[in-house]
Amino acid sequence: MNWRGKALKFCDVAGLPALEPFVRLLAGEDVKEQLKGIAKFVVLPVAAVAVFLMLWSAAARTVVTDSMRLPSPTDTWTAGKELFAMHSAQRAEDLKVKQEKTLQAVQLLAQANAVGKQAESATGERKETLLANALVLKKKAVQAANYRPSSAPTFVDQIVTSLKTVFVGFAIATLIAVPIGVLCGMSPWCNAALTPFIQVFKPVSPLAWLPLAFLIIVWAYSGTKPGDNFFDKAFLISAITVSLCSLWPTLVNTTLGVASVDKDYMNVARVLKLSWSQQLFKIILPASLPLMFAGLRISLGVGWMVLIAADMLAQNPGLGKFVWDEFQNGSSQTYARIAFSVIIIGVIGLVLDRIMIFMRNLVSFGDPQAA
Amino acid sequence: MQVLRHLPTSALAPLTLLLVGALQIGCSDSNISLEDLEAAAAKLETTAGEDADAGAAVMEILDVEKPNLKFGFIKLTDCAPLVIAKEKGYFEEEGLNVEIEAQSNWKVLLDRVIDGQLDGAHMLAGQPIGATIGFGTQAHVITAYSLDYNGNGITVSNEIWEQMQENDPALKSDTPPHPIPATSLKPIVDSYKQEGKDFNMGMVFPVSTHNYEIRYWLAAAGIHPGMYTEENIQGTVDADVLLSVTPPPQMPATLEAGTILGYCVGEPWNQQAVVKGIGVPVTTNYDIWKNNPEKVFGVTKEWDEKHPNTHLAVIKALIRAGKWLDATDENGVLVNRQEAAKILSGKDYVGADEDVIDNSMTGTFVFQETDVRPMPDFNVFFKYYASYPHYSDCIWFLTQMRRWGQITEGKPASWYAETAQEIYKPEIYRKAAAMLVAEGKASAEDFPAEDYDGYRDVTTEFIDGTPYDAKDPVGYVNGFEIGNKDPESLAKQ
């Protein structure tokens, strides 16, 4: 395949049809046709965004109440830049403090040794106090050396936390949903047994799960001290809520995918006398992968949506908490920061979706259709 | 730090810097152990100071059990001591690495303290009390530090304010006479009642000072704010005014939306209403009860038992923060408040604009644009022994809980005193104070005299003039026209 073919294939698999006309143009194909493509996939969306920004600006001038006002696109952009500037400032500050702390650790240790020496020559109660002090100073030195910044998480920290949470929740959901889905797809009996659960729980609003997830996590962690555990309670609550909601699309699609594997394939498998596991791994799974990925894609989208809401409700760290805290702040910057967060949440959602499309297209046979 | 002075710091600096680099590259993620440190320090020529003060007594250094702490707060200016103790490095000087995290509402905050996700928190004074006696969530929460006095206001919507002015022409002036009682509100409430409409007002939590204050203010003018009973825990039995829980930062928006017609809340949410022109603060809690207790620093009893030294260290830092907040120059002007307002306006703390926060923080309160009054005692953090956990302050909350039926049965006077001792822990405060005095960071005059029994003087400085004697809680409860009445016999038990 020449570079043109490879590039076109990439556009296809990555789900980036907007790039296709450019590739074709570079390859010297019909210019008029390609310009039409560019107009459709690039110029038109850009124009639409421009119109949206104009409408938004107009709305920002109109929607003003006594205590609130809709931020304009410029306000939002400025607020966003400020958030990132605050993040870098915080990082620089943290690093500085950390260095100071290390220095302090050494000084504390020197001090501890000095106190220890003093103790050698002292007697009685004085000696005991000095020895105790030396021990405490040593402990403090170790603490200072292992200092962790205690500043509030920045916007970027919150993005990272949210991403981690959604991936953990999504991973848990996938690990549960795919095997059950395969089982249900292969065995109508199993499917019949699980159908009531799927039908009842699938439409439940994700946030209704939150108090139950909370209860279960708090129960599971009862008797343990915070900080001793690998995962934070709050983190797990959010993650479990995400998995409880992103379970169903994967489960249903996997079931469907497995159940609708082409009869011809199965007949071939029978002719070849493939064992059960061979059938599963050589035929059923590969054949149902496209539908499975379609399910995973919906799951991840639902999960991301739910996560933000769960953060807001439960005050778990993440973008949702950031938005909620800002709403509670009521400063003149509040709504601009919220608007910026909304856009960032949307963009991240989009990127997550693209990643899933990319993965689905990678495993699809035939003609992948970007959506 | 005495020994540190003996070290040749100038010679030390370049070496230590090298070491800092080495430690950071080598052990950026893994834990640095004592051995690592000793190996590093061994390279340093340390001349241990000669034992110059061999005769002097050696002070014990506090062995902090838990250096990494997380405290919760609600976005209100009276969380200031916590924020200042962190930002001014007082926590750090005590060897504490403290994270301060905003919570979405008082219930979440309390639950997280109880289940250990937070080590302690900025709490409504009523929260440790309510939790310990089992109203709402049951858990033994204690306090050894009172964060502040005063700091709340009652705001009504513009429309209600106009109607109040019509009922009482004296209010029509640009600077109406204060304090403004709820008498001019009564006809409005009555007319709502006649039309069968609910008169809704907001407060922040069932056991909040705000709930008791707005009830006190309404009841003083003969408006019934509703009772709590065993069956009705909304507190709306026989209510003329329906009080509902609204989180502090949402008060102005809820008022603007018309869901409530007025509210009682801490700062900056009254000044916010003035600045935004959506409501008029009619009174502050300074006028309802001069120097009333407001917020406390609460931890669970269990936490205190496990971390006694840490608790002491925290209280030491908080006392210093309180002192810093209330520092004045020779003319009595609060010198640090502007800086405090700036720190608090940070988005991770209160987050409102600095010019909204600094109104009340620097000692003025804006009732209306035309009515700006100096209120130097609007926020008291340390003056008048405000940070000391007075038993009488705890008992006042208990009397109000009984008055409004949150405590469902009458209790003998001795129960009030015993309960106060279970929740308020002046002994911890005393210990921390003594350490600060010994370290030269505070003076003995900053704290109540040694023989002080924890009961503030009997006072009549209430909006209705009812005298409050914490040693006669039953008599106090019975002294109100509206509210529960207990048999006199309980007063002597």
Side-chain angles (χ1 to χ4, degrees):
Chain A
M1 218 191 299
N2 58 7
W3 70 269
R4 175 185 157 277
K6 275 185 195 156
L8 285 179
K9 171 94 176 138
F10 172 78
C11 294
D12 238 9
V13 173
L16 295 167
L19 291 181
E20 215 180 289
F22 291 98
V23 173
R24 288 183 191 276
L25 202 61
L26 279 177
E29 284 182 43
D30 180 17
V31 177
K32 208 172 155 198
E33 186 73 19
Q34 300 323 316
L35 285 180
K36 225 166 105 188
I38 291 174
K40 183 173 149 200
F41 285 120
V42 183
V43 180
L44 194 62
V46 169
V49 170
V51 169
F52 170 73
L53 287 178
M54 265 166 7
L55 288 175
W56 178 5
S57 296
R61 280 192 291 276
T62 329
V63 184
V64 179
T65 73
D66 286 334
S67 66
M68 302 163 274
R69 52 168 309 169
L70 189 71
S72 70
T74 5
D75 294 341
T76 307
W77 178 246
T78 321
K81 277 201 299 199
E82 211 181 274
L83 283 176
F84 283 100
M86 280 159 104
H87 169 75
S88 352
Q90 185 68 59
R91 275 289 174 282
E93 174 73 18
D94 286 351
L95 190 68
K96 216 179 97 202
V97 175
K98 181 122 178 84
Q99 281 171 348
E100 276 169 19
K101 282 280 175 188
T102 317
L103 222 150
Q104 204 189 340
V106 177
Q107 285 176 341
L108 278 168
L109 191 74
Q111 205 183 336
N113 290 337
V115 172
K117 264 192 196 148
Q118 273 184 20
E120 279 169 22
S121 58
T123 50
E125 198 181 317
R126 185 179 154 78
K127 180 171 183 144
E128 263 167 41
T129 319
L130 281 171
L131 279 176
N133 281 358
L135 265 181
V136 175
L137 282 170
K138 274 186 189 163
K139 208 169 114 187
K140 282 191 173 182
V142 175
Q143 275 160 15
N146 292 302
Y147 169 82
R148 295 268 175 283
S150 58
S151 47
T154 64
F155 186 59
V156 178
D157 293 338
Q158 301 285 37
I159 294 180
V160 173
T161 312
S162 281
L163 283 175
K164 266 194 221 160
T165 320
V166 84
F167 279 124
V168 169
F170 178 65
I172 297 173
T174 308
L175 287 178
I176 298 172
V178 169
I180 297 184
V182 170
L183 217 60
C184 288
M186 288 170 76
S187 146
W189 287 91
C190 187
N191 195 14
L194 287 178
T195 296
F197 298 99
I198 298 171
Q199 298 294 338
V200 170
F201 291 138
K202 201 175 63 154
V204 173
S205 161
L207 295 176
W209 287 115
L210 189 76
L212 294 175
F214 185 85
L215 173 80
I216 291 168
I217 297 293
V218 170
W219 165 76
Y221 270 46
S222 58
T224 63
K225 271 191 287 179
D228 284 358
N229 308 296
F230 188 65
F231 286 118
D232 219 28
K233 253 190 234 176
F235 176 83
L236 271 189
I237 293 167
S238 286
I240 300 263
T241 309
V242 168
S243 22
L244 280 172
C245 311
S246 54
L247 207 61
W248 314 109
T250 310
L251 181 52
V252 171
N253 272 295
T254 308
T255 308
L256 189 67
V258 171
S260 57
V261 171
D262 201 319
K263 287 282 171 297
D264 290 344
Y265 297 164
M266 298 311 286
N267 290 336
V268 171
R270 236 163 266 140
V271 171
L272 291 176
K273 295 202 169 130
L274 292 183
S275 70
W276 183 83
S277 65
Q278 276 174 323
Q279 273 187 35
L280 180 66
F281 289 104
K282 302 271 177 204
I283 307 217
I284 296 175
L285 280 183
S288 54
L289 268 180
L291 258 174
M292 208 186 286
F293 270 93
L296 286 171
R297 181 183 157 205
I298 304 172
S299 282
L300 190 57
V302 171
W304 180 244
M305 233 158 49
V306 165
L307 173 69
I308 304 298
D311 284 349
M312 276 186 160
L313 264 191
Q315 286 286 287
N316 297 332
L319 276 169
K321 177 165 165 63
F322 178 86
V323 170
W324 194 249
D325 279 353
E326 276 304 328
F327 177 51
Q328 303 245 314
N329 276 350
S331 90
S332 45
Q333 280 288 317
T334 295
Y335 289 96
R337 286 192 188 137
I338 293 176
F340 185 75
S341 314
V342 166
I343 292 172
I344 289 290
I345 292 169
V347 169
I348 293 175
L350 173 84
V351 172
L352 292 178
D353 197 46
R354 288 286 119 170
I355 293 173
M356 291 312 292
I357 290 180
F358 177 67
M359 305 227 306
R360 187 198 63 185
N361 289 351
L362 274 183
V363 300
S364 284
F365 311 107
D367 185 29
Q369 262 302 311
Chain B
M1 292 287 134
Q2 277 169 347
V3 186
L4 210 59
R5 270 184 240 123
H6 300 301
L7 291 173
T9 17
S10 54
L12 215 120
L15 253 173
T16 335
L17 272 181
L18 265 177
L19 212 144
V20 169
L23 279 177
Q24 233 143 35
I25 298 159
C27 330
S28 57
D29 260 347
S30 61
N31 285 338
I32 299 169
S33 70
L34 187 61
E35 285 74 44
D36 297 336
L37 268 179
E38 267 174 354
K43 291 180 196 153
L44 292 172
E45 286 289 319
T46 53
T47 50
E50 305 104 66
D51 214 348
D53 40 6
V58 187
M59 216 188 309
E60 209 173 312
I61 301 176
L62 209 53
D63 183 9
V64 169
E65 299 90 354
K66 190 173 183 216
N68 295 315
L69 302 171
K70 192 193 249 185
F71 295 147
F73 76 99
I74 295 284
K75 290 176 177 285
L76 291 163
T77 52
D78 51 22
C79 69
L82 280 170
V83 173
I84 295 302
K86 178 179 165 69
E87 290 288 319
K88 286 275 143 194
Y90 298 145
F91 280 138
E92 212 193 310
E93 281 177 39
E94 297 296 335
L96 303 170
N97 180 26
V98 177
E99 186 181 342
I100 298 183
E101 191 186 78
Q103 307 296 312
S104 57
N105 60 56
W106 290 112
K107 179 169 165 39
V108 166
L109 174 138
L110 183 63
D111 287 347
R112 289 177 56 130
V113 170
I114 291 170
D115 79 10
Q117 292 187 65
L118 297 172
D119 293 291
H122 161 232
M123 283 186 188
L124 294 159
Q127 279 189 307
I129 304 171
T132 303
I133 66 170
F135 182 77
T137 321
Q138 163 83 57
H140 197 160
V141 181
I142 61 167
T143 175
Y145 189 91
S146 163
L147 289 171
D148 67 320
Y149 280 167
N150 312 324
N152 297 333
I154 295 177
T155 295
V156 296
S157 70
N158 293 329
E159 191 192 337
I160 296 293
W161 174 242
E162 275 161 31
Q163 291 176 29
M164 283 172 77
Q165 283 179 320
E166 272 161 37
N167 293 335
D168 182 359
L171 298 180
K172 271 201 176 137
S173 130
D174 278 349
T175 51
H178 282 263
I180 300 176
T183 32
S184 52
L185 185 70
K186 192 166 188 340
I188 309 170
V189 174
D190 288 344
S191 76
Y192 265 75
K193 222 173 157 185
Q194 260 163 15
E195 287 167 40
K197 286 193 290 186
D198 288 338
F199 195 94
N200 293 309
M201 291 183 97
M203 48 84 182
V204 302
F205 201 67
V207 296
S208 65
T209 335
H210 316 79
N211 187 19
Y212 305 127
E213 279 164 0
I214 196 167
R215 281 167 184 273
Y216 200 105
W217 182 70
L218 292 169
I223 304 172
H224 201 305
M227 300 293 290
Y228 291 83
T229 62
E230 219 153 335
E231 297 77 36
N232 181 318
I233 50 162
Q234 314 295 326
T236 51
V237 177
D238 298 332
D240 296 335
V241 166
L242 292 180
L243 294 170
S244 59
V245 173
T246 310
Q250 264 110 281
M251 287 288 186
T254 317
L255 183 73
E256 194 180 8
T259 318
I260 51 176
L261 301 165
Y263 56 74
C264 180
V265 76
E267 276 310 296
W269 309 114
N270 294 291
Q271 293 296 283
Q272 179 89 323
V274 185
V275 171
K276 308 287 188 190
I278 51 180
V280 179
V282 284
T283 186
T284 69
N285 59 346
Y286 185 73
D287 282 334
I288 297 172
W289 172 17
K290 284 190 178 40
N291 295 325
N292 63 90
E294 175 53 36
K295 301 280 165 27
V296 296
F297 174 74
V299 300
T300 60
K301 181 146 190 289
E302 204 189 347
W303 188 89
D304 167 67
E305 278 161 3
K306 258 195 226 159
H307 312 101
N309 287 346
T310 314
H311 199 180
L312 273 178
V314 172
I315 303 299
K316 279 172 76 183
L318 287 177
I319 290 176
R320 291 182 69 194
K323 246 181 96 87
W324 182 87
L325 278 162
D326 272 9
T328 52
D329 61 12
E330 60 273 23
N331 299 322
V333 178
L334 294 159
V335 286
N336 290 328
R337 290 295 183 86
Q338 193 67 47
E339 190 186 340
K342 192 177 169 55
I343 293 174
L344 286 171
S345 71
K347 83 168 178 55
D348 295 323
Y349 298 131
V350 180
D353 292 337
E354 189 186 336
D355 55 357
V356 177
I357 293 178
D358 71 5
N359 272 349
S360 63
M361 281 293 277
T362 53
T364 42
F365 193 84
V366 186
F367 287 91
Q368 299 173 65
E369 269 171 44
T370 54
D371 192 8
V372 182
R373 289 170 189 253
M375 288 197 86
D377 284 348
F378 183 82
N379 277 118
V380 177
F381 293 102
F382 198 72
K383 223 175 17 172
Y384 312 127
Y385 305 136
S387 64
Y388 185 92
H390 305 273
Y391 291 135
S392 55
D393 289 349
C394 181
I395 292 173
W396 187 79
F397 286 99
L398 290 169
T399 62
Q400 298 305 302
M401 287 176 183
R402 174 63 198 133
R403 179 184 181 189
W404 301 117
Q406 289 177 338
I407 296 171
T408 46
E409 280 166 22
K411 303 277 186 187
S414 56
W415 177 86
Y416 286 90
E418 283 158 17
T419 308
Q421 283 175 22
E422 257 176 63
I423 302 161
Y424 275 46
K425 300 290 176 192
E427 56 276 17
I428 299 174
Y429 183 95
R430 286 273 190 208
K431 233 177 170 175
M435 293 175 91
L436 285 173
V437 173
E439 289 166 26
K441 288 171 182 157
S443 62
E445 297 90 73
D446 289 336
F447 310 106
E450 285 298 326
D451 59 351
Y452 176 63
D453 63 355
Y455 285 80
R456 289 207 271 161
D457 292 338
V458 176
T459 173
T460 54
E461 289 184 316
F462 288 86
I463 198 164
D464 59 354
T466 308
Y468 170 54
D469 178 2
K471 292 191 171 150
D472 179 21
V474 178
Y476 184 62
V477 170
N478 288 344
F480 296 109
E481 237 165 78
I482 301 179
N484 275 325
K485 300 278 179 290
D486 285 336
E488 279 303 326
S489 59
L490 286 174
K492 281 163 204 91
Q493 285 176 34

